[in-house]
């Protein structure tokens, strides 16, 4: 059963509600491939997932997981920063997922940062269709995490409410737990 208490799972619930077969979506942080796998299953053979990561290890872990589940052909793996997404994707997107921080089981020094995250988010918003969704799972327990969260919060709080709905889903009694930001394009 869906677990509303797990942030990653909650982001998957939101994606599952919005992303349909044939969709074009971006996994901004491929990591170990769990989000790419979800997206590949949602878009089906007629859809496309673009998955970015700057680490070879992350892309090979993602490739392996997708191949095991026989959905690798639905995903384009891109070894580049998500802030460069406009060099690879020229069409509109139905959704985008960010899972920020460091690669679990990998080098904890290689982390997402507020500048490139916001640049990627801005570019993703520029491609997002009406009723499209972007989710960000943001962690604050590692160095730089709190700064990344507050920069993202400040940025998304400034988005035009006539165009976007922005949700902040968080535990109010756990200061270092991950949080979700979800943006829906209304118009
Ligand atoms: C928390 S992990 C992602 C977890 C992943 N979504 C999963 O399902 O396993 C964060 C990933 O972001 C990657 N990353 C860091 N900076 C990046 C950037 N500028 N562009 C793309 N990926 C980046 C890291 O290499 C790391 O693999």
């Amino acid at each position: 059963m869906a677990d509303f208490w797990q942030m990653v799972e909650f982001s998957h619930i939101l994606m599952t509600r919005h992303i349909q077969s044939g969709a074009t979506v971006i996994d901004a942080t491929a990591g170990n491939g769990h989000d790419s796998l979800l997206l590949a299953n949602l878009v089906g053979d007629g859809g496309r997932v673009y998955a970015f990561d700057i680490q070879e290890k992350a892309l090979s872990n993602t490739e392996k997981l997708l191949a095991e589940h026989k959905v690798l052909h639905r995903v384009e793996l891109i070894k580049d920063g998500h802030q460069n997404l406009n060099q690879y994707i020229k069409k509109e997107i139905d959704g985008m997922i960010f899972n920020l921080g460091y690669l679990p089981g990998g080098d904890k020094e290689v982390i997402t940062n507020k500048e490139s995250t916001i640049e990627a988010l801005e570019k993703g918003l520029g491609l997002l269709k009406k009723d499209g969704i972007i989710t960000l799972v943001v962690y604050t327990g590692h160095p730089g995490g709190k700064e990344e969260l507050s920069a993202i919060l400040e940025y998304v709080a400034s988005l035009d409410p006539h165009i976007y709905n922005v949700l902040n889903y968080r535990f109010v009694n756990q200061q270092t737990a991950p949080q979700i930001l979800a943006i829906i394009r209304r118009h």
Side-chain angles (χ1 to χ4, degrees), residues 103-168:
L103 177 67
D107 184 350
K108 292 190 176 174
E109 303 286 310
V110 183
I111 52 170
T112 53
N113 69 76
K114 58 183 182 184
E115 287 83 12
S116 49
T117 297
I118 289 173
E119 191 178 341
L121 181 54
E122 217 163 16
K123 288 177 176 169
L125 285 169
L127 296 175
L128 193 65
K129 286 182 193 167
K130 181 176 178 302
D131 295 327
I133 181 169
I134 298 181
T135 63
L136 301 100
V137 177
V138 192
Y139 301 85
T140 56
H142 61 280
K146 284 201 179 67
E147 291 73 15
E148 188 174 30
L149 174 65
S150 52
I152 298 168
L153 280 170
E154 190 182 323
Y155 175 73
V156 297
S158 73
L159 292 174
D160 184 344
H162 296 104
I163 303 178
Y164 302 104
N165 277 340
V166 184
L167 171 84
N168 184 196

Side-chain angles (χ1 to χ4, degrees), residues 85-99:
L85 67 89
N86 54 324
Q87 293 175 21
Y88 303 88
I89 306 158
K90 305 288 179 197
K91 53 183 176 180
E92 289 190 309
I93 61 167
D94 298 278
M96 183 169 184
I97 194 162
F98 289 82
N99 190 321

Side-chain angles (χ1 to χ4, degrees), residues 27-36 52-55 58 80-83 99-104 110-113 116 139:
D27 181 354
T29 50
N32 290 320
H34 302 290
D35 297 322
S36 285
F52 290 83
D53 208 290
I54 51 172
Q55 294 190 73
D80 200 351
H82 39 226
Q83 65 276 19
N99 190 321
L100 301 171
Y102 57 83
L103 177 67
V110 183
I111 52 170
T112 53
N113 69 76
S116 49
Y139 301 85

